[in-house]
Amino acid sequence: MSKVLSSLKRRLVNHKIKVGVFFIILILWVLCLPKTLFNDPNSTVVNSSDGTLIGARIADDGQWRFPQIDSIPERFKQSILLFEDEYFYQHPGFNPISIIKAIGHNLTKETRRGGSTITQQVIRLSRKNRSRTYWEKIIEVFMATRLELRYSKEEILKLYASHTPYGGNVVGLETAAWRYFGIPAHELSWGQSAALAVLPNAPALIFPGRNEQAFLDKRNRLLKKLWEKEIIDQTTYELAIAEPLPQKPVPLPDIAPHLTERIRNEHPGQRITTSLDRSLQQQLNTLAERHYRRLQSNEIHNLAILVLDVETRKVLGYVGNSPSGEKHSNYVDIITKKRSTGSTLKPFLFASLLDEGQLLPHTLVEDVPTVINGYHPQNFDLKHAGAVPASKALSRSLNVPAVRLLREYGLQKFYNKLHKMNMESLDRPSSHYGLSLILGGAESSLWELTSTYASMASSLNYFLTHSSTYRSREFTEATYLQHETMDFGKEQFDPLVFGAGSIFSTFQSMYEVNRPEGDENWQFFDSSQPVAWKTGTSFGFKDAWAVGVTPKYAIGVWAGNADGEGRPGLTGITAAAPILFDVLAALPQSSWFQKPLDDLVEIEVCAQSGFRASMYCDDIKKEWVPTHGTRSRPCPYHQQVFLDKSEHFRVNSECYPLEDMVAKNWLVLPPILEYYYASSNPNYKPLPPYMEGCSALENNLMEFIYPKPYEAVLLPKDLGEKRMEIILKLAHQQSNTIIYWYLDEVFVGKTENFHELVIPIEPGEYMLTAVDNQGNRIQQEVEVRYASGE
């Protein structure tokens, strides 16, 4: 009895051991596969919007290894199954018959034969091709069965195709298709598919001029087998065996190198489908090369082009730099780099003033010598127009009116508005930039600027097509990701930044007369399709900009030198605008913006001054202006004057009968405005002089042009001389006048008609007095000191 019990105990122990071993093996089997089978770094792969490869960057380990493919091309699938694993869909991860045949072959013959299935090969690849021992084979079989449970057969095939080596540093089917044939895997022919099916079995065959016959024989045997299995027909077989073998790897496409490099930094090791239009990108590359040759003659070596879809805010074209070579930093992506904005922010100020009713599109704005706290802005041509329509000041990019308007609008207020427009490059306080903000005192990137212009156009389009509403996140940054869903926010009735009427009026001004002052070649930039465009040039001729928008597209162009070297003639109109219009010509035809009548109102304006018509304006016209334009002030320049019967002299009740006076409405500009305005507007009629015996009651007949009030006159400290010369300038509303000049009540000279006087002077403080021949007098204090402050 004891023996029986002892035997039962032994059996029970043995059984428990067997069960324990079984569970241990089961647990090992369940846990034998790592969570991620392959941890190798991938190449960064970039596709255009149609899914075509346009660029790639090698993986961190120096291998060309594209991310896992989504599907296996049918031709390659048939080829690889027939060559490597004909019973792939029947076995559980290993094929006992193949293993037995391989063992028998290896024991009896000198050559080696493998019996691994595709599943086993995936395991071997994941284990970094360890030594081929029988123990390693057992481990592969063990793990292969587990792999079959975790993944479907199709997923296993994709793992194999994505990680198998193809010679050199080429890994994966998709990589091999591009490197050896220059086409995507789904376009491989039968001959190409068969070549890539046999290559992993002996990747050393790929070296040109070596083992080509062995490679050819292996491929053709596979093609014959495909024909014999009736997978391909006779004609296909004959054409396939006539195909050449792949030679050395071919270069990968690289038609948007700077965008590809940007994606490598922002999405490393991923396959990214961009919104890039491949055909347009190729045209832009050609344009960039042609214009680089043109600019190179002036030692301008870099340029950048960005094209956005206005509606989606997605990138259609991206040329980060010119093909100038490494010597001139062609690898720098200019599109993302911050550069001086030049005049490109002026339309935003113009739209802001229009939106709040502080300005009408053609209101006369002041363009006279200006000094504000020591800041002395100058127009590009160093001239002044006195008074100029706001639209013309914008289109001709006049600096002085822009600075004066910015001071009137408020620097901090405008700065806050730019931040609402998502211009994050303005990362310092407004006081850091000062009024020079509007002339290029700030920096932005082509990416940011073009996105902002596109947002303005999109806001106008949305208002026109969505029941006069706006979106709360209209000024959203652009994207190059094809499948990214853009969040433009919720619908709202109030504009985020600008109303549709002010945007339309701004674009209309930029479209109609965007011509640079003093440039006579603007007609060469006319386009077959309308575009609102703005140029910009930074101080020192270092940056040339041109930005344009249509209802469909936003185009941004920059030209200059990446190292910041300025060049004479490097201006927006000469360097960047020709590129802009060539890009525009390459884009599909686009119509002009529709008029947003729900945010415009028709009012009467003074034809001469552009202000809201007053009772003294004779020439009145109707004009569509932004809704808040009704808040603008009536014309301050038209006034009623009284003339004698001949209308040659002004009179008043002290010297002329009331019943004989003739009342006339007259455009009267302040003296300093009139001084410059009359010289550039021959149709301007100054006020007639007073009749003899009539006194001039106005106090603003004269105004000093230089020096300005509270402006110190700076003398260069030169040659040790104590007395140096300065020029005094004055504007007078009446012609044929004589001005007598006094310094501290000491007479220093007189002028007639043209009132400029050069006098010698020493540093000090003086009282400057000017008296005309009618007895009218003006005075102001003047400080004269050396520029060094001594």
Side-chain angles (χ1 to χ4, degrees):
M1 186 69 178
S2 61
K3 290 182 179 180
V4 173
L5 290 174
S6 177
S7 176
L8 288 173
K9 286 180 181 180
R10 284 196 301 272
R11 290 180 182 180
L12 183 60
V13 169
N14 290 335
H15 178 70
K16 287 182 178 179
I17 292 172
K18 291 177 181 178
V19 170
V21 171
F22 172 78
F23 277 107
I24 290 171
I25 294 173
L26 181 61
I27 291 170
L28 289 173
W29 182 80
V30 170
L31 301 176
C32 68
L33 283 183
K35 186 174 181 180
T36 303
L37 209 57
F38 294 94
N39 291 310
D40 303 311
N42 289 325
S43 301
T44 303
V45 177
V46 180
N47 294 333
S48 59
S49 58
D50 60 1
T52 302
L53 180 71
I54 58 172
R57 293 295 179 266
I58 200 166
D60 291 342
D61 62 354
Q63 302 293 304
W64 284 109
R65 184 188 298 105
F66 284 14
Q68 184 169 315
I69 58 179
D70 296 326
S71 60
I72 304 293
E74 188 61 28
R75 289 171 182 167
F76 178 79
K77 181 178 178 180
Q78 295 285 358
S79 300
I80 197 65
L81 290 178
L82 198 58
F83 184 75
E84 289 283 0
D85 193 352
E86 197 169 350
Y87 299 98
F88 174 72
Y89 286 101
Q90 285 77 45
H91 62 66
F94 66 98
N95 188 332
I97 297 174
S98 295
I99 292 174
I100 292 170
K101 286 182 178 180
I103 293 173
H105 178 91
N106 294 338
L107 290 174
T108 58
K109 298 185 180 179
E110 293 183 1
T111 59
R112 288 329 225 195
R113 172 179 172 176
S116 298
T117 62
I118 287 177
T119 311
Q120 287 176 261
Q121 292 183 54
V122 170
I123 295 297
R124 184 167 67 249
L125 290 170
S126 72
R127 290 170 62 78
K128 307 303 179 189
N129 289 313
R130 299 190 184 188
S131 300
R132 296 191 179 189
T133 63
Y134 287 111
W135 174 246
E136 184 62 28
K137 284 290 183 182
I138 292 171
I139 294 175
E140 288 177 7
V141 170
F142 187 73
M143 295 179 70
T145 57
R146 180 68 182 91
L147 185 67
E148 290 275 349
L149 186 66
R150 178 187 289 185
Y151 297 104
S152 68
K153 291 287 188 180
E154 298 304 319
E155 289 172 326
I156 293 171
L157 271 178
K158 285 189 283 187
L159 285 171
Y160 174 82
S162 300
H163 295 279
T164 193
Y166 281 89
N169 64 346
V170 179
V171 179
L173 172 65
E174 187 71 19
T175 317
W178 279 106
R179 290 293 279 156
Y180 294 133
F181 299 108
I183 57 175
H186 68 268
E187 293 183 10
L188 291 171
S189 65
W190 278 107
Q192 293 166 339
S193 298
L196 293 184
V198 303
L199 190 56
N201 187 259
L205 296 179
I206 195 62
F207 291 102
R210 225 173 62 192
N211 304 320
E212 288 190 40
Q213 189 59 46
F215 189 7
L216 183 66
D217 292 341
K218 286 172 74 75
R219 185 202 68 174
N220 289 349
R221 282 197 297 271
L222 174 57
L223 287 171
K224 186 175 183 181
K225 194 173 180 182
L226 287 166
W227 170 55
E228 291 171 347
K229 294 281 187 178
E230 297 185 352
I231 296 172
I232 60 176
D233 58 29
Q234 175 74 27
T235 303
T236 303
Y237 166 68
E238 291 174 356
L239 291 173
I241 61 174
E243 291 183 36
L245 291 173
Q247 299 297 311
K248 62 180 180 180
V250 300
L252 292 172
D254 200 21
I255 69 170
H258 297 90
L259 179 59
T260 300
E261 191 63 23
R262 178 175 175 179
I263 291 172
R264 184 189 71 81
N265 292 325
E266 296 177 1
H267 305 278
Q270 297 183 42
R271 184 190 304 271
I272 299 296
T273 298
T274 69
S275 52
L276 221 66
D277 183 315
R278 184 163 53 96
S279 175
L280 174 63
Q281 180 66 29
Q282 290 170 329
Q283 293 181 70
L284 297 184
N285 290 343
T286 302
L287 288 176
E289 183 171 1
R290 188 170 81 234
H291 282 281
Y292 162 65
R293 304 298 174 197
R294 172 179 66 87
L295 296 170
Q296 188 183 24
S297 62
N298 191 26
E299 296 185 24
I300 301 170
H301 300 290
N302 305 102
L303 61 86
I305 305 169
L306 180 65
V307 180
L308 302 179
D309 183 294
V310 163
E311 182 180 354
T312 64
R313 218 70 46 80
K314 293 185 176 180
V315 175
L316 300 177
Y318 193 109
V319 178
N321 210 327
S322 60
S324 57
E326 189 173 345
K327 179 181 178 182
H328 298 293
S329 306
N330 70 318
Y331 52 85
V332 175
D333 184 0
I334 301 291
I335 287 176
T336 61
K337 299 299 180 289
K338 294 200 294 185
R339 308 287 300 203
S340 170
T341 54
S343 298
T344 55
L345 303 186
K346 288 177 182 175
F348 307 150
L349 176 61
F350 186 77
S352 299
L353 289 159
L354 290 175
D355 197 56
E356 298 185 18
Q358 297 186 39
L359 196 69
L360 296 182
H362 306 296
T363 297
L364 286 179
V365 294
E366 296 181 10
D367 179 22
V368 293
T370 301
V371 177
I372 304 171
N373 297 328
Y375 178 51
H376 187 192
Q378 297 274 0
N379 291 326
F380 184 78
D381 61 358
L382 303 180
K383 297 179 182 178
H384 298 280
V388 61
S391 57
K392 187 176 180 181
L394 172 65
S395 62
R396 300 206 171 205
S397 203
L398 299 179
N399 293 335
V400 174
V403 170
R404 297 179 70 97
L405 287 171
L406 178 57
R407 181 179 61 170
E408 178 184 334
Y409 184 75
L411 173 62
Q412 184 64 45
K413 186 178 176 182
F414 182 60
Y415 174 86
N416 294 341
K417 184 153 283 193
L418 292 176
H419 271 276
K420 279 189 176 181
M421 298 163 69
N422 203 31
M423 295 197 68
E424 299 300 329
S425 59
L426 301 175
D427 53 5
R428 299 188 180 186
S430 60
S431 58
H432 171 80
Y433 305 107
L435 294 176
S436 67
L437 170 68
I438 201 65
L439 304 184
E443 291 185 331
S444 185
S445 65
L446 190 63
W447 178 262
E448 187 175 69
L449 271 176
T450 311
S451 293
T452 305
Y453 275 87
S455 297
M456 289 180 68
S458 177
S459 181
L460 176 55
N461 287 343
Y462 196 83
F463 180 89
L464 290 165
T465 57
H466 290 78
S467 305
S468 302
T469 58
Y470 302 92
R471 293 182 288 192
S472 61
R473 288 175 50 84
E474 188 66 68
F475 286 83
T476 296
E477 184 182 358
T479 181
Y480 52 74
L481 300 174
Q482 172 73 351
H483 303 298
E484 181 175 359
T485 301
M486 301 292 286
D487 179 14
F488 294 115
K490 298 178 181 179
E491 284 192 352
Q492 58 186 41
F493 289 105
D494 294 326
L496 178 64
V497 182
F498 308 119
S502 61
I503 296 175
F504 177 80
S505 298
T506 301
F507 285 171
Q508 194 71 21
S509 296
M510 293 166 65
Y511 163 52
E512 288 178 346
V513 284
N514 190 357
R515 310 299 178 225
E517 189 71 51
D519 189 278
E520 305 304 326
N521 297 318
W522 59 263
Q523 63 269 24
F524 295 116
F525 301 128
D526 279 350
S527 172
S528 60
Q529 56 178 314
V531 58
W533 61 293
K534 182 75 187 73
T535 58
T537 305
S538 69
F539 179 77
F541 303 101
K542 297 179 179 181
D543 305 276
W545 301 85
V547 186
V549 286
T550 72
K552 293 183 179 179
Y553 306 105
I555 308 164
V557 174
W558 177 92
N561 287 309
D563 61 5
E565 179 188 357
R567 293 297 304 165
L570 177 56
T571 66
I573 194 67
T574 58
I579 305 174
L580 171 71
F581 280 90
D582 277 353
V583 173
L584 185 66
L587 293 169
Q589 189 73 23
S590 177
S591 59
W592 185 238
F593 296 94
Q594 299 176 43
K595 187 178 290 184
L597 295 176
D598 287 351
D599 200 46
L600 293 173
V601 60
E602 193 174 33
I603 64 171
E604 291 184 339
V605 298
C606 178
Q608 284 182 285
S609 70
F611 282 91
R612 191 160 55 85
S614 71
M615 60 185 296
Y616 300 120
C617 294
D618 290 332
D619 188 2
I620 295 174
K621 64 178 182 179
K622 289 190 173 183
E623 188 175 272
W624 289 96
V625 301
T627 304
H628 291 159
T630 55
R631 303 175 182 172
S632 63
R633 59 178 174 150
C635 178
Y637 297 138
H638 275 87
Q639 62 186 52
Q640 192 174 59
V641 298
F642 294 95
L643 308 177
D644 68 334
K645 283 185 177 180
S646 68
E647 299 186 7
H648 291 155
F649 298 98
R650 276 186 290 168
V651 296
N652 55 49
S653 58
E654 293 183 358
C655 64
Y656 200 79
L658 287 173
E659 63 272 18
D660 293 335
M661 290 184 186
V662 178
K664 282 278 187 178
N665 294 330
W666 209 281
L667 177 67
V668 182
L669 296 175
I672 190 169
L673 269 67
E674 182 184 76
Y675 175 81
Y676 291 99
Y677 186 80
S679 63
S680 56
N681 292 272
N683 294 328
Y684 176 75
K685 294 181 180 180
L687 282 170
Y690 275 94
M691 180 177 284
E692 187 175 351
C694 295
S695 60
L697 303 179
E698 292 83 359
N699 295 320
N700 62 342
L701 286 172
M702 295 183 287
E703 187 173 347
F704 286 115
I705 299 174
Y706 183 82
K708 298 290 290 181
Y710 314 110
E711 174 188 354
V713 177
L714 302 180
L715 299 177
K717 191 175 182 182
D718 188 25
L719 304 177
E721 297 180 6
K722 291 184 177 181
R723 293 173 62 86
M724 303 189 72
E725 292 183 338
I726 66 169
I727 185 169
L728 305 175
K729 294 184 181 181
L730 179 145
H732 198 293
Q733 280 194 333
Q734 295 182 1
S735 58
N736 301 317
T737 57
I738 301 174
I739 300 294
Y740 302 91
W741 299 82
Y742 298 86
L743 210 59
D744 286 344
E745 302 302 326
V746 176
F747 177 74
V748 293
K750 71 174 183 178
T751 55
E752 296 185 36
N753 296 324
F754 188 69
H755 303 298
E756 292 188 2
L757 180 68
V758 179
I759 63 169
I761 199 167
E762 294 181 4
E765 295 183 355
Y766 303 88
M767 178 61 72
L768 177 64
T769 305
V771 182
D772 69 6
N773 54 349
Q774 299 291 327
N776 300 296
R777 167 191 296 256
I778 58 172
Q779 285 184 316
Q780 78 176 40
E781 293 182 351
V782 176
E783 178 189 1
V784 180
R785 57 183 171 86
Y786 287 119
S788 63
E790 299 178 11

